[in-house]
Amino acid sequence: MSMWFTAVVGLAILVYVYIRTFFPYFYVDLTNILRTLKLSFKLAKYRRCKPFYSIVDCFLDAVRRHPTKIFIHFEGRSYSYEEMDRQSNKAARALQAEARLKEGDTVALFLPNEPAYVWIWLGLTKLGCPAALLNFNIRSKSLLHCFSCCGAKVLVVSPVATGNTIQAHMSSIAQHFSLRLNPYSVSAELLDAVEEVLPTLREQGIRVFLLSDSCSVEGITSLSDKIAEASDKPMPPELRANIRYRGTALYIYTSGTTAVVTHERVWVASFVQASCGSTSEDIFYINLPLYHSAGFLIGMVGGIERASQFWDDCRKYNVTVMQYIGETLRYLCNLPKKENEKNHKVRIAIGNGVRSDVWTEFLNRFGDIKVRELYAATEGNIGFINYTSKIGAVGRVNLLNKFFLPYTLIKFDIEKEEPVRNSEGLCIEAKTGETGLLVGKITRRSPFVGYAGNKQQTEKKRLYDVMEKGDLYFNTGDLLMFDHENFVYFQDRVGDTFRWKGENVATSEVADILTVANCVLEANVYGVKVEGHEGRIGMAAITLREGETFDSADVYKQVISYLPAYARPRFLRIQPSLEVTGTFKMKKVKLVEEGFSPALIKDPLYFLDPDQKTYVPLTEEIYSAIASGKIKL
């Protein structure tokens, strides 16, 4: 018996060593597959519930289980689950009475990061009302465009955009979070932005409510006083009885379009934290704005501008999980070194967009933190998570992932900006190690809902006859690469958007604003790389109207007045004419490759100088100062 036992143990050890040697990622893959299956079964269970078991139902269950547990830390104050529940009831009753809301009505939130954002959203979900999360950087035409897309007839606005850090997210129902109110990159007053478009809002029958005890502006109603007076008794679940898992939960403004986020997608996004290994015992510190899909759907947070307080906050609140974008980790690595940098409890970092060199430096300086880099899009039907911490990878291919979310990489012609097709008109699959366009098959299990109020943009994202005649795929617009170890690497973004400072920029929106300037005839907007920075910064090639000279002051006025800071083109290139393709699409590839070096480009170049408040000629000295980091972008 002992001989057999010894033989079995010896064989088990041999198998274990063999697997570890020749299949080093077997166990992490297996763990991820089992975790994914568990979450998939949970989602399937929620789908079958009658009525549908939504995120707010999960929140209410958490309130019943642990009412006194801390849900949010904010500015030195803590809010329990019970407090947030009661406050959201008051907000729901106030909005129900004042705005006469009913199930299905969309309410737009134009708010900075603060606890009110969370309880107003919870209140809306209790009423069965979708929320439209508006980017608090947008102004004028872009702000009005959001209403035409989501159909909101109610707007809730804060007096000022203080730019705060806040946390709470869909899966926060099972956890509690540390929050920090820090100055962010927002300084303009939100009320001013609303007053600018108020006449149009009133014409469209949109009611505006201000989070204040009083308001002297005609056409805007104060809301905080009504919330304070409202009852905090539970809201009847019948108010949201018709919610379905494929129904609209949120509208999120992204890249010039408004993505529709279903209740199903909210659940899927909420599972990201669990997929990365976080538990109900973790305290989550996140640093993205609440209007952002990553901030709301994976974290519900606010931004960090004063990164020097980041680790102090993590120590103060015993933070164990943090969220990031590439810029966050770069800021942290650029801070002066301190002796206690590894003195913290952070064990997991979840986010996207970090460069390999920054990733490596972050680990060397701040300790053995499991970085869970991911790839996803708000409106997309495919995503990856790097659950192995392999530096540089955004995810890993496994059979289960491909079963639930079928996808492929196809060859892509960068010059023509279109997929390469064979003689039968079908796309050609990219080989292992070859860069290709990521496309996700549109199925019942992996749908593409599309963009609110924009059928044209929705159709542009649909790709037909990909692997066989009659099939339909979602075009991510992103170039990725799968290596021989099944790791996924992000290569570049193609098409009509680029990413800067963690924000997606729609080139068409920027071009529209540039052509408002009297001197500009046409504008071709694109993103260019800058050494030491993640993403691409905005640049535009422009042509001038006949008989006009470049009016730097007027162009500056337009971009400052109507574009958020991250979308403003920092470089301009004046050309006699703009190159177009055979189908009259503006060519960008060559412009992107040439960048903004005055030594290489003979066309006149200009740089947006915030100190001089105008566009100034881009000289070799300015270029060198940008390259060396003396000029901050």
Side-chain angles (χ1 to χ4, degrees):
M1 186 73 176
S2 61
M3 186 175 69
W4 278 104
F5 178 76
T6 303
V8 170
V9 171
L11 180 62
I13 293 173
L14 188 64
V15 170
Y16 175 80
V17 172
Y18 177 82
I19 290 175
R20 294 287 295 187
T21 303
F22 296 100
F23 303 96
Y25 298 104
F26 175 81
Y27 292 105
V28 289
D29 283 342
L30 180 61
T31 300
N32 179 263
I33 287 172
L34 293 175
R35 191 177 280 157
T36 301
L37 282 171
K38 179 182 177 181
L39 296 173
S40 299
F41 290 145
K42 183 182 286 189
L43 181 59
K45 174 186 173 182
Y46 295 160
R47 283 173 177 165
R48 290 193 299 268
C49 288
K50 301 294 182 182
F52 172 63
Y53 186 74
S54 69
I55 281 291
V56 74
D57 296 310
C58 187
F59 171 77
L60 291 172
D61 282 346
V63 173
R64 284 186 282 270
R65 284 197 308 271
H66 37 67
T68 60
K69 185 178 181 180
I70 300 302
F71 182 50
I72 288 176
H73 295 292
F74 184 84
E75 273 292 84
R77 187 182 163 190
S78 298
Y79 297 80
S80 70
Y81 277 79
E82 186 175 51
E83 284 180 279
M84 293 299 289
D85 180 41
R86 289 179 180 276
Q87 196 63 30
S88 65
N89 290 336
K90 292 166 73 71
R93 291 186 183 280
L95 283 167
Q96 186 184 42
E98 295 296 319
R100 296 183 289 280
L101 291 179
K102 60 183 184 300
E103 187 179 19
D105 291 343
T106 300
V107 176
L109 304 182
F110 196 46
L111 305 170
N113 300 328
E114 56 184 342
Y117 205 128
V118 183
W119 67 57
I120 287 175
W121 166 70
L122 283 169
L124 291 174
T125 60
K126 290 177 179 182
L127 294 171
C129 296
L133 314 183
L134 305 189
N135 183 328
F136 51 54
N137 292 293
I138 60 175
R139 298 292 183 268
S140 190
K141 181 181 176 182
S142 296
L143 182 56
L144 290 172
H145 173 70
C146 294
F147 289 92
S148 64
C149 290
C150 68
K153 291 300 180 182
V154 175
L155 170 64
V156 180
V157 62
S158 177
V160 293
T162 52
N164 317 328
T165 294
I166 192 165
Q167 321 237 27
H169 153 60
M170 311 310 161
S171 68
S172 66
I173 291 120
Q175 299 165 228
H176 70 276
F177 296 83
S178 71
L179 290 92
R180 172 75 186 172
L181 176 58
N182 285 339
Y184 189 49
S185 58
V186 184
S187 58
E189 295 202 353
L190 297 184
L191 183 56
D192 288 347
V194 171
E195 285 190 58
E196 182 184 346
V197 297
L198 187 58
T200 305
L201 294 177
R202 295 180 69 177
E203 285 176 11
Q204 295 176 359
I206 296 170
R207 297 194 63 189
V208 181
F209 294 89
L210 182 69
L211 279 183
S212 176
D213 290 331
S214 61
C215 182
S216 58
V217 180
E218 185 179 354
I220 300 180
T221 305
S222 62
L223 184 62
S224 295
D225 52 330
K226 279 77 174 180
I227 292 176
E229 295 169 358
S231 167
D232 64 0
K233 290 184 178 179
M235 301 300 295
E238 293 78 18
L239 293 172
R240 56 182 188 279
N242 296 312
I243 285 180
R244 299 291 181 266
Y245 77 97
R246 286 282 169 85
T248 301
L250 299 166
Y251 294 95
I252 295 182
Y253 180 85
T254 172
S255 306
T257 54
T258 303
V260 178
V261 180
T262 63
H263 288 279
E264 178 187 37
R265 180 58 60 85
V266 170
W267 267 121
V268 171
S270 77
F271 291 154
V272 168
Q273 292 178 20
S275 297
C276 293
S278 66
T279 72
S280 60
E281 300 305 312
D282 283 310
I283 298 177
F284 213 125
Y285 185 102
I286 313 171
N287 46 344
L288 297 174
L290 287 176
Y291 64 75
H292 200 286
S293 59
F296 195 94
L297 289 175
I298 302 177
M300 210 176 243
V301 300
I304 291 178
E305 228 257 316
R306 289 188 298 172
S308 59
Q309 296 194 14
F310 185 92
W311 293 113
D312 291 336
D313 283 348
C314 288
R315 283 184 281 270
K316 179 179 179 181
Y317 295 109
N318 294 315
V319 170
T320 54
V321 183
M322 58 172 279
Q323 191 180 24
Y324 70 86
I325 56 174
E327 287 292 311
T328 309
L329 301 193
R330 186 172 68 84
Y331 289 150
L332 294 175
C333 289
N334 285 338
L335 292 174
K337 292 186 177 181
K338 295 181 179 180
E339 291 183 0
N340 65 340
E341 288 184 332
K342 296 183 180 180
N343 178 23
H344 58 77
K345 295 182 179 180
V346 177
R347 62 186 188 89
I348 299 174
I350 304 172
N352 68 288
V354 61
R355 299 199 319 265
S356 295
D357 58 331
V358 174
W359 188 334
T360 302
E361 185 181 354
F362 177 76
L363 295 180
N364 289 338
R365 281 188 59 176
F366 303 110
D368 185 21
I369 299 172
K370 291 178 173 59
V371 177
R372 297 294 185 245
E373 178 82 358
L374 56 85
Y375 168 86
T378 307
E379 70 278 28
N381 65 349
I382 173 63
F384 300 101
I385 298 177
N386 179 1
Y387 47 82
T388 69
S389 295
K390 171 88 169 184
I391 292 177
V394 300
R396 184 160 169 78
V397 175
N398 63 52
L399 293 176
L400 192 66
N401 189 18
K402 200 157 189 176
F403 172 76
F404 283 114
L405 305 171
Y407 58 85
T408 189
L409 281 186
I410 58 175
K411 293 188 176 184
F412 186 78
D413 189 320
I414 297 177
E415 285 288 342
K416 295 181 180 179
E417 292 192 357
E418 62 185 32
V420 177
R421 295 184 180 267
N422 59 22
S423 57
E424 298 177 357
L426 300 176
C427 297
I428 303 171
E429 194 167 359
K431 297 176 182 177
T432 300
E434 183 179 13
T435 297
L437 177 70
L438 178 67
V439 293
K441 192 171 185 178
I442 299 175
T443 67
R444 183 171 180 80
R445 190 185 292 120
S446 55
F448 167 54
V449 179
Y451 302 108
N454 198 328
K455 292 182 179 179
Q456 183 180 2
Q457 283 295 331
T458 298
E459 191 59 31
K460 281 179 67 175
K461 282 291 188 176
R462 291 185 172 130
L463 202 57
Y464 297 87
D465 301 333
V466 176
M467 304 312 296
E468 58 184 41
K469 292 292 184 182
D471 64 13
L472 181 60
Y473 280 72
F474 169 72
N475 179 357
T476 66
D478 291 326
L479 300 178
L480 278 72
M481 186 269 286
F482 299 161
D483 73 3
H484 294 275
E485 292 186 302
N486 288 327
F487 283 104
V488 183
Y489 295 88
F490 178 83
Q491 303 294 93
D492 206 351
R493 175 162 289 189
V494 297
D496 299 326
T497 65
F498 60 89
R499 194 169 180 84
W500 179 247
K501 297 292 186 183
E503 298 279 2
N504 293 328
V505 180
T507 58
S508 58
E509 276 198 354
V510 179
D512 287 345
I513 296 302
L514 285 171
T515 53
V516 171
N518 292 327
C519 65
V520 178
L521 177 62
E522 292 180 300
N524 186 4
V525 179
Y526 49 97
V528 293
K529 289 187 175 180
V530 181
E531 188 68 30
H533 291 73
E534 286 83 8
R536 296 176 182 271
I537 195 169
M539 184 168 180
I542 63 173
T543 60
L544 302 178
R545 297 183 185 277
E546 188 174 353
E548 294 282 347
T549 57
F550 179 61
D551 187 343
S552 59
D554 186 33
V555 175
Y556 177 84
K557 176 185 175 183
Q558 302 306 327
V559 301
I560 292 296
S561 299
Y562 300 113
L563 291 173
Y566 62 82
R568 295 166 189 163
R570 297 301 297 270
F571 306 105
L572 296 180
R573 176 176 179 172
I574 301 178
Q575 294 190 296
S577 62
L578 300 181
E579 284 190 83
V580 295
T581 67
T583 55
F584 302 103
K585 288 183 65 177
M586 291 184 178
K587 290 186 176 182
K588 300 177 187 284
V589 177
K590 186 179 178 183
L591 293 170
V592 170
E593 290 175 349
E594 290 176 347
F596 59 96
S597 171
L600 301 176
I601 299 171
K602 302 307 176 188
D603 295 326
L605 295 173
Y606 288 85
F607 170 65
L608 191 159
D609 189 326
D611 294 330
Q612 297 192 40
K613 293 183 170 48
T614 189
Y615 278 95
V616 299
L618 178 56
T619 62
E620 287 281 4
E621 290 75 21
I622 293 177
Y623 178 82
S624 298
I626 293 171
S628 66
K630 291 181 179 178
I631 292 180
K632 304 297 182 183
L633 298 176

